[in-house]
Amino acid sequence: MITSVQKEILQNLINLYQTSAGKSIKGEEIAEIMGRNPGTIRNQMQSLRSLGYVKGVPGPRGGYKPTIEAYHNLNIPVSDNDSKVPIYVDNEKLEGLSVAKIEFTSVPHPAECEAAIKILGNIKTLNIGDTIKIGPTPVNNLGVIGKIVGRDDTDNILLVETNTIRSIPKKTVSEIGTNNLITLSPENTIREAASIFDENTINGAPIIVDNIVVGMLTVTDLVRAISQNNEDSTVSDFMSGKVVSVNKDMRIANAVEIMYKHKIGRLIITDDNNNPIGIVTRTDLIESMTNLKKFPITSD
């Protein structure tokens, strides 16, 4: 059993170690964060070394590193940099912070659901009342949005009153998109495109030349052309050249991120040879995340 002071030292050691790319941490760095005398930290480090929670690194660049037992004692999973879970405040990603564990402490009603969030990094920059966004997690694509209602600096835990919980299904774009791709040619007229949209009940279609997507025409483009009495103009005069293609095996979570980044509502699905084979829309993505029969876990 370690004392509360030793636990705080270990927590700060792990926080600093996580953000130092594996470099050893000096006792003075921990002392500065904790507001304690460096000599006190060194004495406690000797005790933690004897317990197997800390190993010393000799030399001018030496210091301390946490052992696997330290992570286990603080109930922190050992993970690499590729599996970090981001934290955002006001849509701004917080550097040097990552989520180690999410535990839902009460789920009697969505409006009262609270989560205990174990954090790697200095949580003293986060304040009660802050609205934070966490995730997505690497395995289940879980995202949590809520307000901080409590903070435990010793165990590095935030208590969050959640207002949104989402988990994006582990499906690919080809599983939720349309694989019967309806296309247009640059020579098609606006009138012809309107007829194709109506017959196939679609709101957009790519323009393809020699199996290469050169543009996208949407219902909005059609309305603009017709309002200007350009029914006999070609679709190439009104199409958008902003087209993004993704491989058929791309996961939904990645597709959502790409749509958000490029501010578009459609992605062309391609096969392994980069041939266009389908289309996935923002509506497809929303339906795949909200029409979950087995686990409707979203609450707003």
Side-chain angles (χ1 to χ4, degrees):
M1 178 69 70
I2 63 175
T3 67
S4 59
V5 173
Q6 290 174 332
K7 179 183 289 188
E8 188 177 359
I9 290 173
L10 272 186
Q11 183 67 65
N12 281 292
L13 174 62
I14 290 174
N15 290 345
L16 291 169
Y17 184 70
Q18 288 287 123
T19 58
S20 70
K23 296 179 181 179
S24 57
I25 306 302
K26 295 187 179 299
E28 289 78 6
E29 297 178 71
I30 298 174
E32 183 178 355
I33 291 175
M34 294 179 60
R36 290 180 174 269
N37 186 286
T40 301
I41 300 300
R42 284 194 292 271
N43 291 335
Q44 293 292 344
M45 282 298 188
Q46 295 304 317
S47 298
L48 290 170
R49 286 181 64 181
S50 65
L51 292 170
Y53 296 131
V54 171
K55 60 181 178 181
V57 180
R61 297 184 179 180
Y64 305 97
K65 291 185 178 181
T67 64
I68 295 296
E69 286 73 18
Y71 284 86
H72 291 167
N73 184 278
L74 296 184
N75 200 23
I76 299 174
V78 182
S79 59
D80 55 31
N81 292 332
D82 292 334
S83 59
K84 286 185 177 179
V85 179
I87 303 174
Y88 301 83
V89 173
D90 295 329
N91 291 321
E92 181 178 345
K93 183 179 179 181
L94 301 181
E95 300 298 332
L97 292 181
S98 177
V99 176
K101 182 176 291 187
I102 301 174
E103 292 183 348
F104 294 101
T105 58
S106 62
V107 288
H109 188 277
E112 301 172 358
C113 180
E114 291 184 347
I117 316 293
K118 180 78 171 180
I119 304 294
L120 292 177
N122 186 3
I123 64 173
K124 293 181 180 179
T125 58
L126 296 170
N127 301 306
I128 293 176
D130 286 348
T131 296
I132 65 173
K133 172 186 174 184
I134 295 168
T137 58
V139 178
N140 297 313
N141 291 311
L142 179 68
V144 176
I145 300 175
K147 182 173 66 175
I148 299 175
V149 294
R151 193 182 77 187
D152 184 340
D153 293 344
T154 301
D155 290 324
N156 243 48
I157 290 176
L158 297 175
L159 185 62
V160 177
E161 182 182 88
T162 66
N163 56 51
T164 301
I165 303 173
R166 281 193 171 91
S167 181
I168 302 176
K170 295 180 184 178
K171 290 185 177 182
T172 63
V173 290
S174 62
E175 290 181 275
I176 68 164
T178 300
N179 293 306
N180 180 26
L181 186 61
I182 307 299
T183 66
L184 300 170
S185 70
E187 294 77 23
N188 282 131
T189 66
I190 292 297
R191 192 188 307 277
E192 291 171 337
S195 178
I196 292 172
F197 279 25
D198 181 53
E199 290 174 3
N200 294 278
T201 318
I202 58 176
N203 295 317
I207 292 85
I208 294 183
V209 178
D210 296 331
N211 214 30
I212 297 176
V213 180
V214 297
M216 180 74 68
L217 190 78
T218 67
V219 167
T220 301
D221 299 322
L222 282 178
V223 171
R224 178 164 58 90
I226 292 172
S227 68
Q228 298 172 3
N229 297 317
N230 287 311
E231 291 93 336
D232 295 320
S233 297
T234 62
V235 296
S236 59
D237 294 328
F238 290 89
M239 71 182 186
S240 169
K242 190 174 183 179
V243 182
V244 179
S245 299
V246 297
N247 185 270
K248 60 183 176 61
D249 296 323
M250 174 175 282
R251 291 293 179 91
I252 294 174
N254 301 114
V256 170
E257 185 176 347
I258 290 174
M259 278 192 184
Y260 179 78
K261 177 181 179 181
H262 292 278
K263 295 180 173 59
I264 55 177
R266 294 168 178 79
L267 299 172
I268 298 299
I269 302 172
T270 62
D271 60 19
D272 292 333
N273 295 317
N274 210 32
N275 297 312
I277 59 172
I279 189 169
V280 61
T281 68
R282 183 185 289 112
T283 300
D284 295 328
L285 293 171
I286 292 173
E287 288 182 351
S288 72
M289 290 185 283
T290 56
N291 293 343
L292 300 178
K293 296 180 180 180
K294 295 179 70 175
F295 302 104
I297 64 171
T298 300
S299 62
D300 291 312

